[in-house]
Amino acid sequence: MRTGSEGTSWDLTTILSKSPLALPPPPRRVQSEATGVVQKMSENGVSSRAKVLTIDTMNPTVKKVEYAVRGPIVQRAVELERELSEGIKKPFAEVIKANIGDAHAMGQQPITFFRQVLALCSYPELLNDSTFPEDAKSRARRILQSCGGNSMGSYSASQGIDSVRQDVARYIERRDGGVPCDPDNIYLTTGASDGIVTMLKLLVCGEGATRTGVMISIPQYPLYSAALAELGAVQINYYLNEEKCWSMDISELQRALDEARRHCNPRALCIINPGNPTGQVQSRQCIEDVIRFAAKERLFLMADEVYQDNVYADGCQFHSFKKVLFEMGPEYSNTVELVSFHSTSKCYMGECGFRGGYMEIINMDNEVKAQLTKLVSVRLCPPVPGQALMDLVVNPPQPGEPSYENFIKERTATLSALAEKAKLTEQVLNTVQGISCNPVQGAMYSFPRITISAKAVKEATDKGQQPDMFYCMKMLEETGICLVPGSGFGQKDGTYHFRMTILPPTDKLKILLNKVKEFHQKFTQQYT
Amino acid sequence: MAEIYSDLIPRVCVHLSVFFYVSGPESDIGGKRRAPDRTTTTTKIKKKKMSQQTVNGVPSRGKVLTLDNMNPNVKRVEYAVRGPIVQRAVQIEKELKEGVKKPFSEVIKANIGDAHAMGQKPITFLRQVLALCSYPELLEDNKFPEDAKKRAKRILQACGGHSIGAYSASQGIECVRQDVARYIEKRDGGISSNPDNIYLSTGASDAIVTMLKLLVCGEGRDRTGVMISIPQYPLYSAALADLGAVQVSYYLDEDKCWSLDVAELRRSLNAARQHCNPRVLCIINPGNPTGQVQSRQCIEDVIRFAKEEHLFLMADEVYQDNVYAEGCKFHSFKKVLFEMGPEYSSTVEMASFHSTSKCYMGECGFRGGYMEIINMDPEVKAQLTKLVSVRLCPPVPGQALLDLVVNPPQPDEPSYTTFMKERTVVLADLAEKARLTEQIFNKVPGITCNPVQGAMYTFPRITLSQKAIDKAKEEGQVPDMFYCMKLLEEEGICLVPGSGFGQREGTFHFRMTILPPTEKLKVVLHKISEFHLRFTQEFS
């Protein structure tokens, strides 16, 4: 955006002619577009003087960032909530925010054991309270003992508390049938997002045609596109196959890669499994193919596996990239660079607010690893309560411990309710003409395709909106249901979708699905 | 495969030219002169590069991601507070555990302002409310005081599904932001604060980096320059390196108790204008690592300077309750700004940062914090809100904690007496330790120490003989790193060398927290004093 450099004699005409802004640009913008010298010339005109920081003089990569999950539609939803609370009449009594995977906000209860331990860690005087079970107390003592001054209020090591990383490593070993895991390769993070952005940041370099390109699925979780925009990296889209239940196809990866090589330097391949927003669960075979592809094409693999416990469909199973990698033998397991992400926010716990997470790095160059450790040290440490929670997730009550039964009961109830809701969502939405919905094999979302008539598309275009944004906005205004338009995640041209969480309690979900159904029918009728 | 390396060399060259603009803490403005330790680092990297090809016998240049093709900005990041000396300290701790004999029995980490790690006890009320929020079943428990329950209920009601496990709004929980605004109003004698201008953050660091990120643009001579004090808290230099912004150093006056001088600001700004576009001025008050507390007059001068020179002000005020010296008082930049009248208060753009990690609470692990933005362009504000939404929200337990800090027990509430007692004890102890530290160090020949007026650190100047300097060079270390490393090995005390914060060339310092319990602090101070005498003798 900047058009000149300080000290050169840009005059107003030059700036105007070079300005990418639509004509006529407001005078304030012209001024701020200019550099120090021009600003100085106008120094006396106090009131008309531009701010130091304006939309034209701010970081241009930040402006390119988009994050639909909390975008304009959510802002409108918050506004509507405020209007409702002020007594303004609406055709609905409450706003249902099905835009985000926020389990507790949808009424899911926290796992008792986790919260008991967190309370004990917060206020250790409770360790003398006989109402807390012994296993909760022993977990709390172990966590506190590994905190500086036995307090969660002290900074931890930047990579995360040692004992928590050890527990994470043992969890991964158990999960992967004994494939070894080194706690030194575990980095605790502030939610998975933090780990993902940090890894992308490490990977980005070069300029122009050598600029790092990162392959992401379309549809994708928009954290990826947002982070790439901010880092000025090149986003390389590969499309998931909606007709085949959003599966991933190597020939499509190859196509995307070959095209991208003409204008950037593709170095990383991101996979979300189970898929967000698309809910597919990758087969073992597919993962193997992806790993082979990454090895052949020399790509750094980033496996976003935060939904690893959220698998519902019969015949589907979660396979970790790491396990498959190691089962493919040393030719792959010694060479392919991989990072896998996990979080406390999803699965059966849904503890988003604590911002807990970890990443495991595999085959990372030792010098790069030292740089990673240095980089994370600048932010001191991930939130310690989130680290404590992560520890409980990877080291839950064991058979024979007093909290075991209740823990398993709560965990099973949550996961089976989710499985039921996944089925329900698919069933109901597929009864609607003009909506088609793949099975929600895993994760927490449905991403149905919606038919929008040419007339509706035209009206949306006239309003300067994406057709599916127009659709979702209208649904929000008429029913109070807040969804995210498919365009926020990316979709094949000419197709339209929305993302909806399956998290509301079953009864509420039924109502919600029926409202969506009625809305769609009304909308279709209105625009035929 | 070939294209991964083909453009490596030109790329490195492009970034080398930037390298000189991103001046490290030690380098003079414009990269005219470069610090010895930075040179050493570069040399070390070069050495490493050579050895890299044969790691484990496997050619490691086979990796997709190597030191040579990773983000060059990240490589330039340095953060001394958790740098090599701390890594060595952790190693020594491990060795001690394994039974290795050392001339000391424990490592004392005085490198970081980590109050609880140094034995400071959490404030009871804060932790009671956090326990109640974590496990709301405890609301039925009559062991908890009513005001703690009331606060917990209020926080939970503001959370989605009444759980601190739900995401909050990206800007932070609304009622917490309201409480923060009311706190600021009270602090600033009634000057109004709008909750819409409050952004909760993951510690103050998060907000500082976010603001810097917003501000950075332009290329070459047009690249954003950010003025930071020398000595500085290295988060700033690290963030600027990461963002590829230009660090513009201004020096604090050690001879005048680390005070800030507008003439020096002007010198630094004018010099920087030759090669970048300075747009931001960062101030840390009370000072880290230098412990000075700015006078009201000085703040007014800074604000006038910022307005005159069209700079965005960033006021790092995380130590606002940590003021010990008589005659010193904390003045918030915002209060002074508004007292200067509408000509200033309606134009000067500013962000002020606060945190739960310091002051009397010292709750670092919760990563709570906020920033207040003032006079920000509404379009930029919308971009800021969008940017923070990508990370979803700051940790909710940290938000809850911040709420308690800005809305503590009131005189008519049951927890008030205990709360005040605990708070006063912590702050009075700190004041005593600040005095003690200054006194003891100033008795040692070769150590001179400004009064610790505020914050949590002392940053004494140490005299190192030419012989010691030569020896350090021989070992490939900056002299004060050599000094601190030796202190660590011989006494088990972990300090941060002054070079990690920046200092005038030819002067040497270290940063030490004053946080250890008084008795332990005395031991630490005496050990350092003895070490210094021994060191001086050894290298005389």
Side-chain angles (χ1 to χ4, degrees):
Chain A
M1 286 299 274
R2 298 197 66 95
T3 54
S5 56
E6 190 188 342
T8 53
S9 55
W10 291 102
D11 62 17
L12 214 61
T13 342
T14 322
I15 291 158
L16 274 174
S17 67
K18 298 244 172 173
S19 171
L21 295 164
L23 289 171
R28 190 180 59 79
R29 290 198 172 194
V30 175
Q31 199 177 41
S32 54
E33 182 79 21
T35 56
V37 169
V38 180
Q39 282 168 353
K40 270 200 152 180
M41 277 156 44
S42 57
E43 220 160 68
N44 296 329
V46 173
S47 57
S48 69
R49 188 182 181 193
K51 302 245 183 212
V52 176
L53 182 59
T54 68
I55 194 83
D56 297 320
T57 60
M58 65 174 278
N59 189 333
T61 65
V62 169
K63 277 192 276 188
K64 288 188 201 130
V65 167
E66 277 179 39
Y67 187 67
V69 174
R70 294 206 156 186
I73 198 147
V74 184
Q75 282 163 29
R76 179 64 189 141
V78 172
E79 244 170 56
L80 284 173
E81 271 181 332
R82 203 171 284 171
E83 289 174 23
L84 277 175
S85 73
E86 285 162 4
I88 297 177
K89 278 262 171 289
K90 298 278 168 195
F92 46 86
E94 63 164 338
V95 173
I96 303 174
K97 288 194 210 145
N99 59 298
I100 193 165
D102 192 354
H104 291 199
M106 285 292 173
Q108 184 181 310
Q109 292 307 304
I111 300 287
T112 305
F113 178 76
F114 293 172
R115 294 308 195 89
Q116 285 174 331
V117 179
L118 286 168
L120 290 161
C121 289
S122 300
Y123 189 51
E125 277 77 355
L126 291 171
L127 286 166
N128 302 320
D129 190 323
S130 55
T131 57
F132 284 84
E134 274 314 309
D135 49 354
K137 288 185 185 174
S138 75
R139 289 293 195 297
R141 280 194 203 102
R142 179 155 184 275
I143 291 167
L144 288 173
Q145 267 156 22
S146 49
C147 291
N150 295 343
S151 165
M152 282 210 296
S154 55
Y155 291 120
S156 76
S158 300
Q159 199 172 342
I161 299 172
D162 241 29
S163 73
V164 178
R165 289 191 290 118
Q166 284 159 11
D167 288 351
V168 168
R170 280 198 290 266
Y171 159 81
I172 293 174
E173 286 176 352
R174 270 196 316 271
R175 183 197 68 187
D176 292 343
V179 175
C181 176
D182 182 351
D184 268 359
N185 290 336
I186 306 297
Y187 286 75
L188 303 188
T189 57
T190 308
S193 305
D194 171 43
I196 292 168
V197 174
T198 301
M199 271 312 305
L200 288 173
K201 183 184 281 181
L202 274 187
L203 277 156
V204 168
C205 73
E207 292 301 330
T210 67
R211 188 71 178 162
T212 294
V214 177
M215 303 184 72
I216 63 173
S217 64
I218 297 294
Q220 53 119 14
Y221 175 56
L223 166 70
Y224 289 90
S225 51
L228 294 178
E230 195 188 311
L231 292 165
V234 182
Q235 173 179 328
I236 303 170
N237 299 333
Y238 65 88
Y239 288 83
L240 301 177
N241 190 342
E242 182 164 16
E243 279 67 40
K244 290 191 182 153
C245 202
W246 297 114
S247 66
M248 212 176 122
D249 179 40
I250 299 298
S251 63
E252 167 59 12
L253 283 180
Q254 192 74 57
R255 179 206 61 77
L257 183 73
D258 291 344
E259 275 176 29
R261 286 223 161 107
R262 287 186 216 131
H263 61 90
C264 70
N265 180 10
R267 302 177 67 208
L269 170 55
C270 303
I271 311 278
I272 313 173
N273 178 50
N276 175 5
T278 38
Q280 82 284 15
V281 177
Q282 284 190 327
S283 68
R284 201 192 166 289
Q285 183 57 50
C286 176
I287 294 172
E288 221 182 290
D289 293 346
V290 169
I291 292 173
R292 221 168 261 127
F293 176 80
K296 178 175 79 112
E297 300 292 351
R298 295 184 41 74
L299 298 168
F300 194 106
L301 265 178
M302 290 178 56
D304 180 339
E305 299 178 319
V306 300
Y307 298 98
Q308 52 190 267
D309 290 336
N310 297 110
V311 176
Y312 319 117
D314 275 332
C316 284
Q317 203 200 320
F318 171 73
H319 302 275
S320 80
F321 265 76
K322 185 186 177 192
K323 180 167 190 246
V324 177
L325 177 69
F326 277 75
E327 286 169 357
M328 288 168 72
E331 186 195 342
Y332 292 93
S333 66
N334 285 344
T335 58
V336 174
E337 292 151 83
L338 168 72
V339 55
S340 156
F341 304 94
H342 196 18
S343 151
T344 58
S345 304
K346 310 299 169 186
C347 301
Y348 62 93
M349 47 282 182
E351 294 276 14
C352 313
F354 283 79
R355 314 309 295 123
Y358 75 77
M359 61 179 172
E360 182 189 13
I361 53 166
I362 294 149
N363 288 323
M364 182 180 271
D365 180 277
N366 283 331
E367 289 175 313
V368 175
K369 185 162 179 277
Q371 293 285 330
L372 170 62
T373 306
K374 177 192 73 178
L375 182 63
V376 298
S377 79
V378 179
R379 293 296 188 88
L380 298 164
C381 68
V384 175
Q387 296 187 45
L389 187 58
M390 191 78 241
D391 188 58
L392 304 170
V393 169
V394 295
N395 183 20
Q398 298 304 306
E401 290 188 316
S403 302
Y404 179 73
E405 262 172 54
N406 192 45
F407 168 76
I408 290 294
K409 206 178 95 194
E410 291 177 347
R411 183 185 195 275
T412 312
T414 301
L415 289 176
S416 54
L418 280 170
E420 194 201 330
K421 291 188 273 193
K423 258 200 296 281
L424 185 72
T425 305
E426 182 201 347
Q427 276 166 9
V428 175
L429 288 179
N430 276 331
T431 61
V432 187
Q433 211 176 359
I435 297 184
S436 62
C437 178
N438 270 318
V440 183
Q441 298 174 330
M444 297 178 165
Y445 317 96
S446 170
F447 196 69
R449 182 158 170 182
I450 47 176
T451 310
I452 299 183
S453 69
K455 198 172 157 191
V457 171
K458 186 174 181 307
E459 175 146 347
T461 316
D462 290 347
K463 287 196 161 178
Q465 275 181 341
Q466 293 284 343
D468 51 10
M469 172 62 95
F470 173 71
Y471 177 96
C472 289
M473 218 33 131
K474 219 166 147 61
M475 174 153 20
L476 174 63
E477 298 287 349
E478 290 178 16
T479 66
I481 298 170
C482 178
L483 306 177
V484 192
S487 46
F489 305 87
Q491 54 200 354
K492 270 212 197 279
D493 260 2
T495 70
Y496 305 107
H497 303 78
F498 59 74
R499 186 184 86 163
M500 187 190 99
T501 70
I502 60 165
L503 289 171
T506 312
D507 289 338
K508 205 171 188 173
L509 181 66
K510 279 183 190 160
I511 297 170
L512 191 148
L513 289 167
N514 280 319
K515 279 185 164 191
V516 171
K517 182 177 178 172
E518 281 164 27
F519 169 81
H520 187 83
Q521 285 162 347
K522 219 172 84 199
F523 181 90
T524 309
Q525 216 159 27
Q526 190 183 346
Y527 292 100
T528 44
Chain B
M1 223 186 266
E3 55 266 52
I4 292 181
Y5 300 104
S6 58
D7 287 287
L8 189 68
I9 292 164
R11 228 179 297 154
V12 168
C13 293
V14 167
H15 288 286
L16 266 178
S17 63
V18 183
F19 187 88
F20 284 91
Y21 283 112
V22 187
S23 50
E26 285 74 44
S27 49
D28 198 0
I29 318 301
K32 192 168 64 182
R33 142 163 71 85
R34 299 248 305 285
D37 86 321
R38 190 166 280 276
T39 318
T40 341
T41 316
T42 318
T43 324
K44 272 186 200 156
I45 287 168
K46 272 184 196 149
K47 268 188 216 152
K48 275 186 183 172
K49 264 184 206 165
M50 311 241 300
S51 65
Q52 187 197 315
Q53 281 143 4
T54 55
V55 174
N56 289 336
V58 181
S60 73
R61 65 195 158 82
K63 300 260 184 208
V64 175
L65 183 59
T66 68
L67 196 61
D68 295 328
N69 64 20
M70 65 173 280
N71 187 332
N73 286 344
V74 170
K75 278 193 274 188
R76 282 191 284 269
V77 167
E78 280 178 34
Y79 187 66
V81 174
R82 294 207 155 185
I85 196 147
V86 183
Q87 282 162 29
R88 178 66 192 137
V90 171
Q91 231 171 44
I92 292 178
E93 270 182 335
K94 237 172 240 173
E95 288 171 22
L96 278 174
K97 240 190 225 160
E98 288 159 4
V100 179
K101 278 263 170 286
K102 299 273 171 195
F104 46 85
S105 57
E106 62 163 340
V107 175
I108 300 172
K109 287 193 212 145
N111 58 298
I112 193 165
D114 192 354
H116 290 199
M118 285 293 172
Q120 185 181 310
K121 292 280 162 263
I123 302 288
T124 305
F125 180 75
L126 304 186
R127 294 309 195 89
Q128 285 175 330
V129 179
L130 286 171
L132 290 162
C133 288
S134 300
Y135 189 51
E137 276 77 354
L138 291 170
L139 288 166
E140 313 297 320
D141 190 325
N142 52 24
K143 275 195 302 289
F144 286 85
E146 276 311 310
D147 49 354
K149 289 186 185 176
K150 205 175 102 193
R151 292 289 196 299
K153 280 182 200 146
R154 181 156 180 275
I155 291 167
L156 288 172
Q157 264 155 23
C159 292
H162 299 176
S163 165
I164 55 172
Y167 290 121
S168 77
S170 301
Q171 199 173 341
I173 299 173
E174 199 163 321
C175 86
V176 179
R177 290 190 288 119
Q178 284 161 5
D179 288 352
V180 168
R182 278 199 291 267
Y183 160 83
I184 293 173
E185 286 176 354
K186 249 185 306 194
R187 182 196 70 187
D188 291 343
I191 293 161
S192 75
S193 169
N194 183 349
D196 269 359
N197 290 335
I198 307 295
Y199 286 74
L200 305 191
S201 58
T202 307
S205 306
D206 168 46
I208 291 168
V209 173
T210 300
M211 270 313 304
L212 289 173
K213 186 181 286 174
L214 273 186
L215 279 154
V216 168
C217 71
E219 291 303 330
R221 291 187 58 168
D222 213 19
R223 190 71 179 161
T224 294
V226 178
M227 302 184 69
I228 63 171
S229 65
I230 296 296
Q232 54 119 15
Y233 174 55
L235 167 71
Y236 289 91
S237 50
L240 295 178
D242 191 354
L243 291 165
V246 183
Q247 176 179 324
V248 179
S249 305
Y250 64 88
Y251 288 83
L252 300 176
D253 189 346
E254 181 164 17
D255 299 330
K256 288 188 183 154
C257 201
W258 297 115
S259 67
L260 197 154
D261 179 37
V262 173
E264 165 60 11
L265 285 181
R266 185 156 285 121
R267 178 206 62 76
S268 153
L269 182 73
N270 289 337
R273 285 220 164 112
Q274 308 301 313
H275 63 90
C276 70
N277 181 12
R279 303 175 67 207
V280 194
L281 171 54
C282 301
I283 310 276
I284 312 174
N285 178 50
N288 175 6
T290 39
Q292 80 284 14
V293 176
Q294 285 191 324
S295 68
R296 201 191 167 290
Q297 182 59 49
C298 175
I299 293 172
E300 220 181 290
D301 293 346
V302 168
I303 291 173
R304 221 169 259 127
F305 175 80
K307 180 172 172 54
E308 204 179 293
E309 299 294 348
H310 210 53
L311 298 169
F312 192 106
L313 266 176
M314 288 178 54
D316 181 338
E317 299 178 320
V318 300
Y319 297 98
Q320 54 190 268
D321 290 335
N322 297 109
V323 176
Y324 318 117
E326 273 182 56
C328 282
K329 199 181 152 204
F330 170 74
H331 302 275
S332 80
F333 265 76
K334 185 185 178 192
K335 180 164 191 251
V336 176
L337 177 71
F338 277 75
E339 285 169 356
M340 288 167 75
E343 189 195 341
Y344 291 91
S345 65
S346 62
T347 60
V348 175
E349 294 150 74
M350 194 182 103
S352 158
F353 305 91
H354 196 19
S355 151
T356 57
S357 304
K358 311 298 168 186
C359 301
Y360 62 91
M361 47 284 180
E363 295 276 13
C364 313
F366 283 79
R367 314 308 296 122
Y370 75 78
M371 65 174 168
E372 183 186 18
I373 53 165
I374 294 151
N375 289 322
M376 182 178 273
D377 182 284
E379 285 176 307
V380 176
K381 187 163 177 279
Q383 293 285 329
L384 170 62
T385 306
K386 178 193 73 180
L387 181 63
V388 298
S389 79
V390 180
R391 292 298 187 90
L392 297 165
C393 68
V396 176
Q399 296 188 45
L401 186 61
L402 181 68
D403 189 59
L404 305 170
V405 169
V406 295
N407 184 19
Q410 297 304 304
D412 57 342
E413 291 185 314
S415 302
Y416 181 74
T417 315
T418 306
F419 170 78
M420 282 313 284
K421 208 177 93 195
E422 292 175 345
R423 183 185 193 277
T424 312
V425 166
V426 172
L427 290 175
D429 271 1
L430 281 170
E432 196 204 329
K433 291 188 273 194
R435 255 196 312 272
L436 188 71
T437 304
E438 182 201 347
Q439 275 169 12
I440 295 185
F441 274 152
N442 276 331
K443 279 188 200 141
V444 185
I447 298 185
T448 54
C449 176
N450 269 318
V452 183
Q453 298 175 330
M456 297 179 165
Y457 316 95
T458 175
F459 195 69
R461 181 160 170 179
I462 46 176
T463 310
L464 302 182
S465 68
Q466 192 54 47
K467 202 170 153 193
I469 294 171
D470 292 342
K471 176 78 180 159
K473 268 187 196 145
E474 221 173 89
E475 310 242 314
Q477 277 179 338
V478 197
D480 50 11
M481 174 62 94
F482 174 71
Y483 178 95
C484 289
M485 230 14 144
K486 218 167 147 56
L487 173 67
L488 174 64
E489 296 289 348
E490 290 179 17
E491 301 288 353
I493 298 169
C494 178
L495 307 177
V496 191
S499 47
F501 304 89
Q503 53 200 354
R504 279 205 186 270
E505 198 168 271
T507 70
F508 303 105
H509 302 77
F510 59 74
R511 185 184 86 163
M512 186 190 100
T513 71
I514 59 165
L515 289 172
T518 311
E519 285 318 304
K520 201 169 190 172
L521 180 67
K522 280 184 189 161
V523 176
V524 171
L525 291 168
H526 283 121
K527 279 183 162 191
I528 295 174
S529 305
E530 281 163 27
F531 168 81
H532 187 83
L533 295 176
R534 219 166 53 230
F535 183 92
T536 309
Q537 214 159 28
E538 188 182 339
F539 293 102
S540 63

